[in-house]
Each structure stands twice: as C-alpha cells, then as structure tokens.
Amino acid sequence: MAKIELRESDMQRARNLNRKNGWGLTADQMKRIISAYEKGDNYKRALIEYRLTDINFHTEVELLKAGKINELREQLNEW
C-alpha cells in the first residue's frame, strides 16, 4: 500500500485529542478506535495509526495493521 499523506490539520487534531486525554486511552475509547479502524477507509486508518503512534501505542498499531483485531480486543480485557 502506498504511503498516505495526512493533512496537517488532521494530525494537529489527533495531537490535540491525545493531549486532552492525557496521552492515554481508556478501554472504551480504544474499542471505539478499533471499530472506526475496521469500518474506515485507508485515510481514516492512517490517521488512527498516526494517533496511536503519537501516544506510543506501537504494539497496538502493529496488531491493527496485521489484521489481528480480535487479539487486540482480547488485550483490552486486561486493561
């Protein structure tokens, strides 16, 4: 897949959300993000990956990219 160039305004919005949430996510927020990732187009997925990477959720991004959504959901039960 070709690299998607995100708009600066979208990246700034993601950073603002991360700052507002104290650079973390609750399990419910992560569930909503996973759902949006599943339903989203390539741009939306790239934006979600950017947001999660911005808060150092690198493992979660790799699971999403590898299609291991159920494994990620199982991990949420441990949060």
Side-chain angles (χ1 to χ4, degrees):
M1 181 170 75
K3 181 167 171 47
I4 295 175
E5 294 294 326
L6 298 173
R7 291 184 293 271
E8 181 59 38
S9 61
D10 289 337
M11 291 187 295
Q12 185 61 47
R13 181 174 180 266
R15 290 188 299 266
N16 289 343
L17 282 171
N18 289 339
R19 187 177 307 111
K20 177 184 172 188
N21 289 318
W23 305 101
L25 297 170
T26 65
D28 286 336
Q29 288 171 320
M30 191 64 185
K31 287 176 187 175
R32 287 193 301 272
I33 286 173
I34 292 169
S35 178
Y37 190 87
E38 286 181 299
K39 297 174 187 173
D41 59 18
N42 288 339
Y43 186 86
K44 178 77 169 182
R45 288 179 178 202
L47 189 56
I48 289 169
E49 291 168 10
Y50 175 84
R51 182 172 179 205
L52 292 176
T53 300
D54 187 50
I55 56 176
N56 292 320
F57 279 44
H58 301 284
T59 302
E60 291 78 1
V61 169
E62 291 307 314
L63 289 171
L64 288 173
K65 289 167 75 172
K68 297 181 179 180
I69 305 236
N70 289 332
E71 186 176 326
L72 181 54
R73 282 193 174 109
E74 289 173 15
Q75 287 183 8
L76 287 177
N77 294 329
E78 299 172 12
W79 286 20

